[in-house]
Structure formats: structure tokens, C-alpha cells
Amino acid sequence: MERSAQVVAVVGRFKKLLPSPSSAVVLLLILGGCGLFGGNGDDTTPPNAPSGLEATSQDGAIGLSWESPQADDVAGYNVYRSDSPGVSRSGSPLETEASPTEYVDESAENGTTYYYVVTAIDENGNESDPSGEVGKTPFSDPPNRPP
């Protein structure tokens, strides 16, 4: 059934409840924009970038944490890593849809410096600009040893 036919069918079910024909128009506008019939598919606006990205050195790992952008439709995060500054998002993310706002890169090797950025992904698949970049080197002892 096409979207317009679905909306008409739904409005038809509520016709007895509507006080006037203009109420049907209002109901159509509400139903059309609520996502019930595929609305919001035209959303191409990405969320804001995550902020406050921080990295913590661990033994054979790097812990990451960040602040979520203020958006109701953030569905998850992508984590990107590079072994040189200037992390590119052209390749596959290290982690897709990490959630809530932290991730531990357990594939990091002690003594190697890694650089990270995080992007937010909304419910429609729009990806934000990257967060600020952080670099960190995992060490076996002590944790949080600076690069």
C-alpha cells in the first residue's frame, strides 16, 4: 500500500472522532511527519560532532571516552584510528556504533602511539564531523603514561 493510501486509510478510521474536515488535514500533517509512514527519511542533517574526547593508556589497550552531542536522534558512534596524526574517515571505522560514550581499543600494542577520532551517527545513518583528535600510547606500567 502506498504511503498516501496508508494515511487516507488511517484518517478514515479516525473520521468519526474528528470534529471537522480541517481536523483531518491537521491529522494528515501530523501523521505525515511523525515517521509512522516512512517520514523523517528525508533527514540528511548529521548530528553535531562528539566533544571532549579523552584517551587513557592501559596495558595493551587504549580507553576512550567522549561527550555525546545534544541531539535526540543519536543512535551510536563510529571510532576511527590511525598510527599517525590526521585520522582519516575514508577507511572502515575501528568500531561501528559504539555506545554509550566509551570504547576500549583492545587491539592496541604497547609502545605504539595511536590517534583517534569519534563521529556520531543518527537514526537515519547521517554521520557527524569528527571529534577533536587524541593520541595515546599503551604501556604495561604505569597506566596513563603520556606519549
Side-chain angles (χ1 to χ4, degrees), residues 2 10 21 34-35 45 48 62 81 87 102 116 143:
E2 291 182 23
V10 170
C34 73
T45 304
N48 291 327
I62 300 288
R81 178 183 85 177
V87 179
E102 56 188 33
Y116 300 87

Side-chain angles (χ1 to χ4, degrees), residues 80 87-93 127:
Y80 295 89
V87 179
S88 171
R89 295 185 308 157
S90 63
S92 297
E127 186 172 18

Side-chain angles (χ1 to χ4, degrees), residues 98-111:
S99 194
T101 55
E102 56 188 33
Y103 173 74
V104 177
D105 177 7
E106 295 179 344
S107 66
E109 295 181 17
N110 287 343

Side-chain angles (χ1 to χ4, degrees), residues 50-57 61-67 78-88 94 101-105 108 112-119 130-138 144-147:
S51 61
L53 179 61
E54 294 181 356
T56 305
S57 294
I62 300 288
L64 300 172
S65 63
W66 58 89
E67 295 175 23
N78 285 343
V79 177
Y80 295 89
R81 178 183 85 177
S82 176
D83 57 5
S84 60
V87 179
S88 171
L94 178 64
T101 55
E102 56 188 33
Y103 173 74
V104 177
D105 177 7
T112 302
T113 301
Y114 297 95
Y115 299 87
Y116 300 87
V117 296
V118 176
T119 60
S131 65
E133 184 176 282
V134 295
K136 208 63 158 172
T137 306
N144 296 322
R145 191 171 178 180

